[in-house]
Amino acid sequence: MKLRLGMIGGGPGAFIGAVHRIAARIDDDYELVCGAFSSDAARSQATGLSLGLTAERSYGSYKELITAESQLPEHKRVQVISIVTPNHLHFEPARLALENGFHVILDKPATFSLQEAMELKAVMQQSGKLLCLTHTYTGYPMVKQARQLIAAGTIGNVRKVYVQYVQGWLSNLEEGTGNKQASWRTNPAKSGIAGAMGDIGTHAFNLAEYVSGCTLSHLCADIHTVVPGRQLDDDGAVLLKFTGGASGVLVATQIATGAENNIQISVYGEKGGIEWQQNDANSLIVRRADKPAETWRTGGSYTGSFASHNTRTPAGHPEGYLEAFANLYHNFALTVQATLLQQPATAEALDYPGIEEGIRGMAFIEQVIASGKSEQKWTPFIIH
Amino acid sequence: MKLRLGMIGGGPGAFIGAVHRIAARIDDDYELVCGAFSSDAARSQATGLSLGLTAERSYGSYKELITAESQLPEHKRVQVISIVTPNHLHFEPARLALENGFHVILDKPATFSLQEAMELKAVMQQSGKLLCLTHTYTGYPMVKQARQLIAAGTIGNVRKVYVQYVQGWLSNLEEGTGNKQASWRTNPAKSGIAGAMGDIGTHAFNLAEYVSGCTLSHLCADIHTVVPGRQLDDDGAVLLKFTGGASGVLVATQIATGAENNIQISVYGEKGGIEWQQNDANSLIVRRADKPAETWRTGGSYTGSFASHNTRTPAGHPEGYLEAFANLYHNFALTVQATLLQQPATAEALDYPGIEEGIRGMAFIEQVIASGKSEQKWTPFIIH
Amino acid sequence: MKLRLGMIGGGPGAFIGAVHRIAARIDDDYELVCGAFSSDAARSQATGLSLGLTAERSYGSYKELITAESQLPEHKRVQVISIVTPNHLHFEPARLALENGFHVILDKPATFSLQEAMELKAVMQQSGKLLCLTHTYTGYPMVKQARQLIAAGTIGNVRKVYVQYVQGWLSNLEEGTGNKQASWRTNPAKSGIAGAMGDIGTHAFNLAEYVSGCTLSHLCADIHTVVPGRQLDDDGAVLLKFTGGASGVLVATQIATGAENNIQISVYGEKGGIEWQQNDANSLIVRRADKPAETWRTGGSYTGSFASHNTRTPAGHPEGYLEAFANLYHNFALTVQATLLQQPATAEALDYPGIEEGIRGMAFIEQVIASGKSEQKWTPFIIH
Amino acid sequence: MKLRLGMIGGGPGAFIGAVHRIAARIDDDYELVCGAFSSDAARSQATGLSLGLTAERSYGSYKELITAESQLPEHKRVQVISIVTPNHLHFEPARLALENGFHVILDKPATFSLQEAMELKAVMQQSGKLLCLTHTYTGYPMVKQARQLIAAGTIGNVRKVYVQYVQGWLSNLEEGTGNKQASWRTNPAKSGIAGAMGDIGTHAFNLAEYVSGCTLSHLCADIHTVVPGRQLDDDGAVLLKFTGGASGVLVATQIATGAENNIQISVYGEKGGIEWQQNDANSLIVRRADKPAETWRTGGSYTGSFASHNTRTPAGHPEGYLEAFANLYHNFALTVQATLLQQPATAEALDYPGIEEGIRGMAFIEQVIASGKSEQKWTPFIIH
């Protein structure tokens, strides 16, 4: 049972739209049936046609898409809508989609503001529909394995959580060169109050809570706009305190010239530690006192059900970023299909990020930026 | 313009069929329209239905598929047929497909025997149709970069080619445990005269010639069947001589307990060397005398057109085995589309393995096994 | 011209004393002629005899050593005294040694308190003698290469400095098990006001300033005593601001169960970055925008004079921790020898840590601990 | 009880002499008391003086050294003589030293010819003195751990042994540039019948037998002189058969431009495998079926007695090539000291390479070169 998928955003010049579409195709759970790829109707149609859609279902705006699709017969109508627009165009399309009975896949961060994210949660709850937030890195099998091992007590009570996302692509004023990606991500009217912290800091924060199982309680941020002329932060470091006593450090920067996208996390507990990095995404280092470290591998016969459920190839045939992304789409599809069949979804299928992670991410953005401006050391992490 | 794809093989218990289907989907160049997934008609149909095909186009045999599809109107008829059966079922379906006007994607090794491969070439030439042989590893962007750098003289005249494919999955008599993959691959009636040398030795051989640009002239093989009770070789090592004076070593084994699939190649020339391994597939080490080694990366802004053409994500977001496989499908699609449009395909599109690689692979199998049995040191590598 | 070396500390149960002695031997610059290895005269003598010293020059206390050696004829008298005692026993022996005309090698951190370190500087200046502080990691050839590249502008103006020293050996209450190393290092009467921050935080801080060439201006610390019953900090993280605008993060922990001693540093500037870690100590990653990363290697023909001066073996024959330590001893010996010959020492020889680094380290300890207790975010890093 | 050490060879322009001297110093087991560092008496004396020797004991020839030292009183006389000359000057000094009652440390390969090595064994047996052959790589703690694990059955019966030593330093005709190291090593009058195979092939062969515990029975070699104008082989690859059924591949080359000295070995058995490489010398990968791979580390609390006996620093403080070399010197010293005390040496002390390894290495040289010239595939490895 393939789900009928629509897309909002992802037209010419976009990056993440194409990634979403590949992710949707890999496991064959979806059929792309419609899109509003651009606010320019002609460009949207051109994109739609290039993707094999008809002109009729290549809409000129998200409103048009939702209105038109709502009037189609149920067996033809889109079922899941992916929203891959810049942050300022997340909330309205998502709200409208949910209110009109569509499930939503939403690129991160959830919304433009925390307030919006909380409203979206209310809308979602009223709609009875589902929402997946694409925190890609939690889709990696070895990230899931790390979470499961920690949850199972393998490393004991967690003491330290180190997470970092070090990029270099905004080392210069890229937004002054016509780079569309750089332009909206550094524009407060489109990105929100945060640049790096919103774009990649939220990924790091989400990864930290997901893997460690810990809940942030306080933060202390040092936030910078390093490149002259830039309107938003492009660099930051944050001290973290978690409920339960663990502490940590989060680093997110986009101005580390020459660095790629090697997001990484280490978590240490009373009995051991785990270390994972995207550069060696199919390996998970598991350390324990007084024993050789182990390297768990994607596809290993010994991995748990969450890792193996999210794996397609034998150990040593690397799965990558697109497969991690596809795991979000696949698990969301399994969950949507289960609701359609009025059956329970498995724990493995349900293991995708959603609106709660979205709200926490937006709260992180607001409070990390506030902390960056504060002379006070610790800012409590509270979601009102 | 999506190409209409059919599949022969790839039913329940198969491994590579699912990989082919993902590879075909990733870049959205194909629409699966029909299949003969099993010689058991009911199983074939069940697979077809699960893949979203109609019962009518889920055929009970490859002959039925080719006959029936040939009678469909041209705009509906399958255009490209993927053959993912065991080796003994490569030649006949491929021949029939080509003779009936279909392009063919063929899993490696090309055929059951060298003789068949040569016949297939004749059939293909007469048909005017195209054939892609899925030597996956040549689809990796950094493998393509390696080939391009060597072809451009970066490391000077090639001196040494070391290639190895070390696996452990056949460390025990897996074929005695009901493992379907192990069963046919170790069965001379289905696999041909070679086990490990056919299954992975041909990959290593293809990679060696592809990357180095060298042509094998002589070989000297040490071939073993290590696991008692096994009918075919599961291990071997081969000394290589190339025309032009380079020499090398090829290792292929399936009995290295605990090893995964870390196929790797190093090529050294007068001025430098390159090193690549699947475990770090997005990196290419380039060495030169008296300079720091460089690490070229998939997605790097400095990579050449062959690498960048085969890359989907920014540097540091790893692409993996499935994307490498997808590159074969994508380039073949571009080439087929170009012929349909009567336009020339680009050099990048044409860079996929075909029947020549298939013939060389089959010759390698025949001569490496012969060399393994010979008391004579060097066996010339000749294709009659 | 071998220098006559004496040692204070380093008796039974000590760790770093043996390391100092190996470091002193590797390049044959020193001859061990005397020692006060323990405050227990019998134990000191036993150690001395086992090291080939005479009983006469195996002294029962550092005072005895300095007094007795001062009365020996100049050609026999010790010239350089290594002090490898716990922190509370650094200042007095060092002061006495300098005042009596001996050069001093001092284990880090310099003293028990900042006040002592400043006094020691005054004593040293008055004495006209030299002092080397053993911040081992700055002895690695690739650390020196990193400093030189940054000083030469290879990565442009520095933006970010990330340094971390993550250990696990104090994951449990080792000091309760009779572990002598753990005992004094966690004892405020012997170690001073800091545990982890004094023992390894100072190494990380020194490495950060040495490599980056930046000068700390402010810090914001989160300091923990994680293991119940411990008297001093065993974990911390520090946000850093440098004069000139760079910022950074320092992590030092001893409770990361399973972690070894992988001290590491990354520095990013406007034009590129460098990355080094002790786990791969003979490699230095140099990143630049839009080019492949380079791996500089100890022994590489292309390395600069500071790296090559500190290298003994060809590239690929790894040099390790003991050679890094030996580089400090060697460079100090070259400098002492130059003063004896009334010649200028080379820049490479003079490149060893001394009392200034000691004062900065002690200031770091005092202010990082103060910051850890403060509700105020930023503590200026001022040395009065 | 320090042993009195003399050295033959190791004067100006030598490489390995300095390495031997550092190795001898690291653990303080030896005191250098005399040397014949050059066949030029003035140069020998200059070297001796620079090393702190007297002019009297800086001899002009090895004969002079042995004659003069033999006449010194026993408590002053040299006890152990290190011979670090080119291969053609191994046998005579070693013979004379043994016959005059001195223990010998001999650089590899043992001698100029197999015949000489066998004679040396006879001389040694008659003398009752001891001999250590410096196959450095077997001194690494993780190499020793590998041997112990395999001997203990951890990976089951050995199936495959892959060993390679890939260098690039002779990529050009270095011997034409005045490079003294290159000159003698490529000169058949000094090096013997083999170049690369003698210099590094013997290391690889020794490592293979040492780690695997297997005994070579047959070999099939492809030997090349790649650089025009060179007089000896600079490249080769060898198929190996061992008694007991294991097989393998040995690669040794000096013309892999840009390669350093990354000697590496992998051994796979019925139940698992081990992998070690000098580039990550303090790690040993241990693989087993259906379990995560383990990384054993130098200094790990879980390592066996052979590894820990040969380790000086805690895990994560890397030990390198010089420490591996020092382990040979240290274990030989312990063994010599035990004989002086008429006590048994421990198994760990006795674990150093000696004349048997020397004979096997010389037989390897003779037969690998013979095999390289033969049209016959397999050459039995027989020592007459």
Side-chain angles (χ1 to χ4, degrees), chain A residues 93-379:
Chain A
R95 185 184 62 74
L96 213 55
L98 291 165
E99 287 177 351
N100 282 274
F102 303 115
H103 302 288
V104 167
I105 295 172
L106 188 58
D107 206 73
K108 43 52 58 185
T111 48
F112 190 74
S113 67
L114 173 56
Q115 181 56 32
E116 279 186 0
M118 296 184 76
E119 282 181 48
L120 192 60
K121 179 180 172 185
V123 169
M124 184 192 150
Q125 285 174 329
Q126 229 166 359
S127 75
K129 296 296 158 187
L130 299 169
L131 184 147
C132 172
L133 189 78
T134 53
H135 275 307
T136 323
Y137 308 101
T138 62
Y140 276 110
M142 286 303 99
V143 168
K144 291 187 180 291
Q145 184 68 53
R147 173 179 167 86
Q148 295 302 320
L149 287 173
I150 291 173
T154 302
I155 66 168
N157 285 334
V158 170
R159 291 170 163 178
K160 298 300 296 187
V161 181
Y162 302 116
V163 65
Q164 58 178 84
Y165 199 146
V166 174
Q167 293 182 328
W169 75 290
L170 291 179
S171 281
N172 296 310
L173 199 69
E174 287 295 313
E175 57 269 49
T177 68
N179 178 326
K180 192 174 165 182
Q181 289 305 310
S183 296
W184 80 255
R185 287 176 205 266
T186 61
N187 180 348
K190 297 189 174 175
S191 195
I193 61 168
M197 281 296 145
D199 195 19
I200 58 171
T202 50
H203 272 312
F205 167 65
N206 176 254
L207 187 65
E209 289 201 338
Y210 177 79
V211 168
S212 71
C214 294
T215 302
L216 188 66
S217 69
H218 293 77
L219 52 77
C220 167
D222 182 28
I223 305 292
H224 298 272
T225 301
V226 171
V227 174
R230 183 155 291 156
Q231 296 186 66
L232 290 174
D233 61 290
D234 50 20
D235 169 77
V238 194
L239 304 175
L240 309 172
K241 288 188 184 178
F242 297 92
T243 58
S247 60
V249 181
L250 181 152
V251 163
T253 188
Q254 299 179 311
I255 53 81
T257 314
E260 296 181 342
N261 282 289
N262 190 21
I263 180 170
Q264 54 188 280
I265 186 166
S266 304
V267 181
Y268 299 99
E270 293 176 0
K271 299 195 295 182
I274 64 91
E275 299 166 5
W276 178 87
Q277 57 177 320
Q278 191 177 218
N279 261 8
D280 189 15
N282 294 292
S283 297
L284 176 69
I285 310 299
V286 180
R287 300 188 182 278
R288 272 168 278 202
D290 301 325
K291 290 172 73 174
E294 294 174 351
T295 303
W296 293 55
R297 295 272 294 162
T298 303
S301 58
Y302 45 79
T303 56
S305 65
F306 285 78
S308 61
H309 170 73
N310 287 282
T311 301
R312 292 158 195 79
T313 54
H317 288 324
E319 302 209 23
Y321 174 84
L322 294 169
E323 285 77 32
F325 217 115
N327 288 336
L328 274 58
Y329 266 82
H330 181 53
N331 289 325
F332 191 62
L334 291 177
T335 303
V336 170
Q337 288 163 345
T339 65
L340 294 176
L341 298 168
Q342 294 182 294
Q343 290 173 351
T346 64
E348 289 82 2
L350 288 166
D351 184 23
Y352 62 83
I355 190 65
E356 289 302 337
E357 286 80 0
I359 287 172
R360 295 189 71 75
M362 294 312 301
F364 176 78
I365 289 173
E366 301 218 341
Q367 295 177 25
V368 86
I369 295 298
S371 173
K373 293 176 177 156
S374 171
E375 288 304 308
Q376 184 189 333
K377 194 170 186 177
W378 293 105
T379 298

Side-chain angles (χ1 to χ4, degrees), chain B residues 230-248:
Chain B
R230 184 157 289 156
Q231 296 185 66
L232 290 173
D233 62 287
D234 50 20
D235 170 77
V238 193
L239 304 174
L240 309 171
K241 288 187 183 178
F242 297 92
T243 59
S247 60

Side-chain angles (χ1 to χ4, degrees), chain C residues 130-154:
Chain C
L130 300 169
L131 182 146
C132 172
L133 188 77
T134 52
H135 275 307
T136 323
Y137 308 101
T138 63
Y140 276 111
M142 287 303 100
V143 168
K144 293 189 179 289
Q145 184 66 54
R147 173 178 167 87
Q148 295 301 320
L149 287 172
I150 290 173
T154 302

Side-chain angles (χ1 to χ4, degrees), chain C residues 15 19 22 321-322, chain D residues 282 298-300 311-319 323:
Chain C
F15 155 63
V19 168
I22 296 175
Y321 174 84
L322 294 169
Chain D
N282 294 292
T298 303
T311 300
R312 292 158 194 80
T313 53
H317 287 324
E319 302 208 24
E323 285 77 33

Side-chain angles (χ1 to χ4, degrees), chain A residues 162, chain C residues 163-166 196-197 200-201 204 234-237 250-254:
Chain A
Y162 302 116
Chain C
V163 65
Q164 58 178 81
Y165 199 146
V166 175
M197 282 295 145
I200 59 172
D234 50 20
D235 170 78
L250 180 152
V251 163
T253 189
Q254 300 179 310

Side-chain angles (χ1 to χ4, degrees), chain A residues 2 15 19 21-22 25-28 50-52 137 140 165 167 260-262 278-281 297-298 302 312-323, chain B residues 2 15 19 21-22 25-28 50-52 137 140 165 167 260-262 278-281 297-298 302 312-323:
Chain A
K2 280 200 208 179
F15 154 63
V19 168
R21 290 191 295 263
I22 295 175
R25 286 198 295 265
I26 282 181
D27 295 311
D28 212 20
S50 79
L51 293 169
Y137 308 101
Y140 276 110
Y165 199 146
Q167 293 182 328
E260 296 181 342
N261 282 289
N262 190 21
Q278 191 177 218
N279 261 8
D280 189 15
R297 295 272 294 162
T298 303
Y302 45 79
R312 292 158 195 79
T313 54
H317 288 324
E319 302 209 23
Y321 174 84
L322 294 169
E323 285 77 32
Chain B
K2 281 201 210 178
F15 155 62
V19 168
R21 289 192 295 263
I22 295 175
R25 284 196 297 265
I26 281 180
D27 295 312
D28 212 19
S50 79
L51 293 168
Y137 307 101
Y140 275 110
Y165 200 146
Q167 294 181 330
E260 295 180 344
N261 283 288
N262 191 22
Q278 191 176 219
N279 261 8
D280 189 16
R297 295 273 294 162
T298 303
Y302 45 79
R312 292 158 194 80
T313 54
H317 287 324
E319 302 209 24
Y321 173 84
L322 294 169
E323 286 77 32

